[in-house]
């Protein structure tokens, strides 16, 4: 069974009603990034950061996977699929994708602020119990913080993501500007000759001069076209 690595960004979830961070009207226009998504911001005002992510979880609780998410999950019928997402929502999992690598953390989880990757203190929240009280503590006595990779922090899942791309027979990129590193650098790990599709309604610059089949459509419409092209090319065995 052929392997597909799917890299997704904010445009993947925009059709589900989740605000992107960088586009016009995005979250960074409402909240300075250094206040709510940096280690310095967390240290300066953990209550503000906690409230910000509570708000994001409430928004996610009212969202649902869109057709694009479902079509990505549906690829598993014919292919061995690894989804690598820059998004912190769990909409890929809700849609049925079974192997998802979260590069930037997971919104519906909280962790120790002393050691965010200590598995003993990572806790999953539920849609009906998704808020953290400011000042609430993890099991090690430190403040509970969002299980999010803040700006300036290492991206521990980039290694497994690069490995998945390097092993894939083809790569699909959906809804990302390819401006955010290290995620944008993953394209360089694709095998020589492995086809790369890019689904995004905007022009996107791909570094390294690699040939890319650009479907200039949104996530759902673009995935419909991709699935049709793959079917026409002969499926995935």
């Amino acid at each position: 069974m052929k392997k597909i690595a799917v890299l997704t960004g904010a445009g993947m979830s925009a059709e589900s009603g989740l605000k992107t961070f960088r586009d016009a009207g995005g979250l960074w226009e409402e909240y300075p990034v250094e206040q709510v998504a940096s280690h310095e911001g967390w240290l300066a005002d953990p209550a503000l950061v906690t409230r910000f992510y509570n708000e994001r979880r409430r928004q996610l609780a009212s969202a649902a996977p869109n057709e694009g998410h479902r079509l990505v999950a549906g690829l598993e019928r014919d292919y061995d699929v690894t989804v690598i997402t820059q998004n912190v929502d769990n909409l890929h999992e809700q849609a049925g994708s079974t192997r998802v690598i979260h590069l930037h953390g997971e919104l519906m989880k909280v962790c120790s602020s002393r050691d965010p990757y200590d598995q003993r203190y990572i806790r999953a929240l539920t849609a009906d119990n998704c808020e953290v009280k400011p000042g609430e503590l993890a099991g090690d006595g430190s403040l509970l913080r969002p299980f999010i990779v803040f700006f300036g922090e290492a991206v521990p899942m980039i290694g497994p993501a690069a490995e998945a791309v390097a092993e894939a027979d083809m790569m699909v990129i959906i809804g990302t500007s390819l401006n955010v590193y290290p995620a944008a650098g993953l394209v360089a790990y694709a095998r020589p000759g492995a086809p790369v599709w890019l689904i995004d309604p905007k022009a996107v610059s791909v570094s390294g001069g690699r040939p890319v089949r650009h479907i200039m459509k949104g996530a759902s419409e673009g995935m419909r076209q991709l699935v049709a092209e793959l079917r026409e090319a002969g499926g995935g065995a």
Side-chain angles (χ1 to χ4, degrees), residues 58-127:
R58 285 194 295 270
Q59 184 187 22
L60 175 56
S62 64
N66 58 58
E67 185 185 4
H69 289 108
R70 293 191 293 273
L71 288 170
V72 168
L75 290 174
E76 293 190 16
R77 288 191 289 270
D78 297 305
Y79 299 91
D80 181 350
V81 181
T82 300
V83 176
I84 303 157
T85 186
Q86 299 172 79
N87 300 332
V88 296
D89 61 62
N90 58 3
L91 295 178
H92 279 298
E93 289 92 339
Q94 287 189 42
S97 289
T98 60
R99 189 183 300 122
V100 182
I101 296 173
H102 284 271
L103 292 178
H104 297 154
E106 298 178 62
L107 182 59
M108 293 304 291
K109 292 182 178 178
V110 288
C111 60
S112 157
S113 53
R114 183 175 300 137
D115 181 0
Y117 298 98
D118 189 326
Q119 294 292 329
R120 294 173 297 174
Y121 308 120
I122 296 174
R123 176 156 59 90
L125 304 175
T126 60

Side-chain angles (χ1 to χ4, degrees), residues 197-217:
W197 283 269
L198 171 66
I199 297 172
D200 198 283
K202 300 175 184 175
V204 176
S205 175
V206 180
S207 62
R210 187 180 184 99
V212 170
R213 165 87 170 95
H214 190 174
I215 299 173
M216 295 189 76
K217 296 178 179 178

Side-chain angles (χ1 to χ4, degrees), residues 143-157:
L143 282 177
L144 262 185
R145 64 162 262 185
F147 188 58
I148 299 293
V149 177
F150 289 145
F151 281 92
E153 292 183 334
V155 180
M157 295 307 293

Side-chain angles (χ1 to χ4, degrees), residues 10-11 13-14 17-37 48-49 51-60 86-89 107 148 151:
S13 295
L18 297 183
K19 281 190 177 184
T20 63
F21 283 86
R22 288 175 173 75
D23 289 343
L27 291 169
W28 293 153
E29 291 184 3
E30 298 176 34
Y31 299 90
V33 58
E34 62 273 8
Q35 277 190 357
V36 295
L48 171 67
V49 176
R51 288 194 298 270
F52 174 81
Y53 287 99
N54 281 342
E55 189 178 328
R56 303 281 71 72
R57 290 187 203 99
R58 285 194 295 270
Q59 184 187 22
L60 175 56
Q86 299 172 79
N87 300 332
V88 296
D89 61 62
L107 182 59
I148 299 293
F151 281 92

